[in-house]
């Protein structure tokens, strides 16, 4: 099973066993359709089945089966929840965890390595660590990001004119 982090339980919600999840996803609406969440316990994962999921103030309020009181829900606080990774994302959409570590290539060869992704609203920005240089920040737009090949571990880019000027 291939799991990916979906967010952190930051609190309980009410007295009937609901938890409040701070999601690490760009689409809160996708959370409403999730039925099975997972808690990792060492190398194994424990499935948690959702009775209900709703969005409230940029968080997900989740009620799990067999969690019926605040005391039980409190045991989840500070824990990271996982979901099964969807291997069929729409074209051009990627998990941040899959982008970090990609080798960034230009026409001239290796440019650096993706070290972080910032979600700015208009478009994501990829931080690229470069050997002996300051990091470069590339906007995730079609004119800059030409190709992403997760299987090969590469991203091909065209550096916009003036981007690297100090």
């Amino acid at each position: 099973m291939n799991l990916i982090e979906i967010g952190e339980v930051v609190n309980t919600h009410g007295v009937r066993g609901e938890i409040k999840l701070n999601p690490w996803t760009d689409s809160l609406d996708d959370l409403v359709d999730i039925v099975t969440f997972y808690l990792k316990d060492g190398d194994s994962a424990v499935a948690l089945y959702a009775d209900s999921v709703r969005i409230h103030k940029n968080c997900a309020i989740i009620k799990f089966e067999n969690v019926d009181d605040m005391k039980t829900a409190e045991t989840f606080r500070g824990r990271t929840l996982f979901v099964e990774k969807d291997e069929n994302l729409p074209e051009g959409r990627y998990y941040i965890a899959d982008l970090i570590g990609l080798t960034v290539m230009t026409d001239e060869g290796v440019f650096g390595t993706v070290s972080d992704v910032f979600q700015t609203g208009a478009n994501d920005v990829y931080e690229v660590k470069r050997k002996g240089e300051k990091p470069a920040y590339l906007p995730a737009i079609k004119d800059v990001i030409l190709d992403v090949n997760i299987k090969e571990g590469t991203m091909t880019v065209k550096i916009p004119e003036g981007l690297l000027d100090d």
Side-chain angles (χ1 to χ4, degrees):
M1 183 176 353
N2 197 356
L3 299 178
I4 189 160
E5 294 178 358
I6 196 73
E8 178 185 7
V9 178
V10 293
N11 211 342
T12 60
H13 185 83
V15 296
R16 294 191 174 98
E18 293 178 311
I19 58 103
K20 183 177 182 181
L21 180 76
N22 179 25
W24 300 332
T25 177
D26 57 351
S27 177
L28 291 174
D29 293 332
D30 291 344
L31 292 173
V32 175
D33 297 326
I34 298 173
V35 176
T36 309
F37 293 83
Y38 296 89
L39 274 178
K40 280 195 174 178
D41 190 15
D43 289 337
S44 63
V46 176
L48 299 168
Y49 301 101
D51 280 339
S52 66
V53 180
R54 68 183 194 280
I55 305 305
H56 178 70
K57 296 183 180 179
N58 291 326
C59 286
I61 306 299
I62 305 170
K63 169 70 174 80
F64 293 119
E65 287 180 2
N66 303 319
V67 178
D68 298 318
D69 57 67
M70 188 181 349
K71 185 177 180 182
T72 306
E74 180 69 33
T75 64
F76 295 102
R77 187 194 303 243
R79 302 283 307 269
T80 300
L81 291 183
F82 295 78
V83 295
E84 284 191 62
K85 190 174 183 181
D86 182 355
E87 301 296 340
N88 299 309
L89 289 176
E91 189 173 329
R93 295 203 52 192
Y94 307 96
Y95 290 108
I96 291 173
D98 290 342
L99 294 172
I100 293 176
L102 291 181
T103 300
V104 179
M105 307 292 294
T106 66
D107 289 341
E108 298 167 9
V110 175
F111 181 72
T113 304
V114 177
S115 57
D116 206 347
V117 176
F118 302 103
Q119 296 177 306
T120 64
N123 56 266
D124 290 352
V125 174
Y126 301 155
E127 179 184 61
V128 179
K129 294 277 184 176
R130 303 180 296 152
K131 204 175 226 174
E133 308 233 10
K134 291 181 183 177
Y137 297 92
L138 303 178
I141 58 176
K142 285 191 279 187
D143 292 344
V144 175
I145 310 302
L146 305 178
D147 182 59
V148 175
N149 190 324
I150 301 295
K151 287 183 178 157
E152 300 216 1
T154 61
M155 176 185 291
T156 305
V157 302
K158 179 180 180 194
I159 306 299
E161 193 172 317
L163 182 81
L164 302 177
D165 295 344
D166 286 333

